[in-house]
Amino acid sequence: MTDLTAALDTAVKDTLAYVRTHDPDAGAELAELRRRRLTRPQVVIVGETKRGKSSLINALLGVPGLSPVDAAVATATYLQFVPGQPGARAWLPGSAEPIVIDGLAGWATGEQRARRIEVTHPAPLLRYVSLLDTPGVGGLDPAHTAVALAAVERATALMFVADASAPLSRPELDFLVAASERVDAVVFALTKVDAYPGWRRILDDNKALLQAHAPRFAEAAWFAVSSTLAELAVDAGPDDQAALIEASRIAELQHALVELAGRGHQLQLANVLRAARGDLLRLESGALDRVRAVEADPARTAQLRAERAALAARKRTESRQWTLLLSTETQRARVETVGHLRTRIAAVQQDFSERIDTGRGEALAQLPDQLDAELQAVAVQLSERLEETFGLLGEKVLASVFDDKERAEMLGRLNATLRHAMAAAPPRDGSADNLLIALSAGGIAFMAGRGAMLGASVLAVGGGLLIPVAGIGLGLAAGGYVLYRRRVQTDRQQARIWLRDVLGEARAALADEIANRFTDLQYALSVAVDDAVEKRLRDLDAHIAEIDAAAAEDAAGRTRRRAAAQQELDGVRARLRAADAALSQARSLTPVPHEEDR
């Protein structure tokens, strides 16, 4: 196979340069996407529930029962399979460090509210590629689609799983269309072919549905497999094993995934180009509007004026409502977060009080180090909780302001404005170096800062809104150690007083930081929403002005306008053709079953 690295790299560079020239914000987003380093190829596996997704993973890894089968739907848990000795670790919401777990089924179903579960296993396939499964989340009902699409963002390639019982459903087709904007290479697997003799007819129906609703995948390769036969082969005798493996067709799909892993860097470039193509389509739409403006169509002018008047009227009548909703939701979320902090600090106090009551000598001497580590953990957990809370709050406010179409058009502007607004928020007293230092009367020092520990991070919510959140750092300062040594020694009563003072100071510092963070977010969201509306109004004004100016031109002037607008449209369409040509070449990176290859 021809190495497409050079061709794809050139196409990506040229496309990014073009987008950056016409839309600097979009160009910056694409450049950041291109800078991501591919440390290990990863295939994200999605599909409706009950399609045999988990059974397929077990068959691919050759480990029956590894991924829980028929697990109840979980809303936010996904499984990542990576190489290593057998084991599993779970990340809980707000948790910075994973915990080792047993009984994977209970965790995967969401009973323990794990956010992510990493499963390690020495399966041969995992030497080449990691697999990301979203049990429950992969069920493509509306409540789970956003989480599944977020998982697709991390994919080198996508494996879409359907089964032979029925053709693709409309939610599956809609999901494919949305996912195709984020990842270029898609492998299709049709499961349960052993249970449904008419699977070839279902396969033909699926291809026809793709032709009608997602034509990009109309000629995609399908791997028809049986996980049941592959599982039977694991325990079968030598005489039957080879026949069962061949009948299961799992080996072909395994080889295809290994091939994809070997082309990881090329696939990553194709993914960047696929994302850039979406920006080119948006630029093409704008250029086409400018060409149409030259025609000075009265009906089009009336439509734009009506749209502008409706948006301006909403801004006048509903801006107060938007502001009130933002204030109410921010206050509610702040109270909930402070309540969570109070509960968390109380649990720490209970734990360490028990340690003081039962500890002796060396155990008591280690108490400051242990509390310092615990306070850092509290700060990290709070940072992650703020990320999640900010994202949900932002989405709720935006959903009340814009409908789905308006949100899709304005997300890029909102993201850029949010980053700028949160970075430009007025500095608070004592935070010139992004560090807030709170000193108690007893000399105990704490640190909680907007960049003190984790640095800036970005949260993607619902596939669109990006809210920058800086981590919080908190720890026991030197004064805390000194005061502990002076007071405590072996005096348990003094140790309890010291613990109460330390945790009281920590809670006060963090509660203050939480209030400041929510103030920053309320300011940023308010600015972002207002800016998005104003920008849309300016765009409509400019478009109407173009139509009016064209109508006022004489024939020669209108011809010049048309030529300039057409030149812009021809330029973006030429760049689109070049990107499509490179992506067409990239289709050869996706393996096909041997029978189709022949």
Side-chain angles (χ1 to χ4, degrees), residues 222-507:
W222 284 76
F223 291 81
V225 297
S226 168
S227 304
T228 300
L229 295 180
E231 185 173 345
L232 291 174
V234 173
D235 297 322
D239 295 338
D240 297 328
Q241 192 172 61
L244 286 169
I245 290 175
E246 183 177 0
S248 74
R249 303 174 181 233
I250 286 292
E252 260 195 329
L253 186 51
Q254 290 172 326
H255 293 155
L257 295 181
V258 172
E259 286 185 44
L260 281 173
R263 302 164 190 168
H265 182 59
Q266 297 176 75
L267 293 172
Q268 184 184 33
L269 288 171
N271 288 342
V272 176
L273 193 57
R274 177 64 59 185
R277 187 181 186 278
D279 287 308
L280 290 175
L281 288 173
R282 183 173 48 78
L283 293 175
E284 180 193 33
S285 178
L288 186 60
D289 282 343
R290 284 183 280 280
V291 170
R292 290 171 177 165
V294 179
E295 303 302 325
D297 179 15
R300 175 63 175 161
T301 306
Q303 179 187 353
L304 291 173
R305 291 188 190 281
E307 182 181 346
R308 192 208 182 283
L311 184 59
R314 285 187 65 199
K315 185 176 188 301
R316 287 193 303 272
T317 60
E318 298 180 22
S319 59
R320 172 67 178 169
Q321 176 185 338
W322 298 341
T323 303
L324 181 61
L325 174 67
L326 179 57
S327 176
T328 302
E329 290 298 326
T330 302
Q331 176 68 8
R332 181 191 58 77
R334 185 185 69 80
V335 170
E336 287 182 358
T337 304
V338 170
H340 169 79
L341 170 65
R342 188 180 299 111
T343 300
R344 183 73 177 85
I345 292 293
V348 172
Q349 181 156 1
Q350 168 114 15
D351 177 34
F352 275 80
S353 294
E354 292 175 359
R355 297 188 194 188
I356 290 172
D357 291 339
T358 59
R360 296 180 179 277
E362 186 178 346
L364 284 176
Q366 294 174 352
L367 203 64
D369 290 329
Q370 294 169 353
L371 184 59
D372 177 66
E374 190 68 29
L375 288 173
Q376 292 181 42
V378 168
V380 171
Q381 291 163 4
L382 181 60
S383 295
E384 294 197 359
R385 185 179 180 89
L386 284 174
E387 282 189 340
E388 185 176 356
T389 301
F390 280 13
L392 293 173
L393 173 60
E395 284 290 299
K396 188 169 185 177
V397 171
L398 290 183
S400 71
V401 177
F402 306 117
D403 60 29
D404 291 342
K405 181 180 178 183
E406 290 171 330
R407 284 180 63 203
E409 293 175 350
M410 295 183 177
L411 271 174
R413 299 171 194 146
L414 283 165
N415 288 332
T417 307
L418 271 171
R419 284 192 297 273
H420 175 76
M422 293 196 82
R428 303 190 293 271
D429 292 342
S431 63
D433 60 349
N434 281 340
L435 194 65
L436 170 66
I437 301 179
L439 295 175
S440 72
I444 305 172
F446 300 88
M447 292 172 287
R450 297 172 63 183
M453 192 168 182
L454 299 179
S457 60
V458 176
L459 177 68
V461 179
L465 182 65
L466 302 174
I467 296 189
V469 180
I472 295 175
L474 177 70
L476 189 63
Y481 288 92
V482 172
L483 194 58
Y484 181 83
R485 287 196 297 271
R486 287 177 181 171
R487 276 191 185 179
V488 178
Q489 301 294 337
T490 58
D491 189 331
R492 297 181 192 278
Q493 180 62 27
Q494 288 297 323
R496 282 190 286 270
I497 294 172
W498 173 87
L499 177 66
R500 182 196 62 199
D501 291 344
V502 167
L503 294 181
E505 189 71 32
R507 186 175 63 189

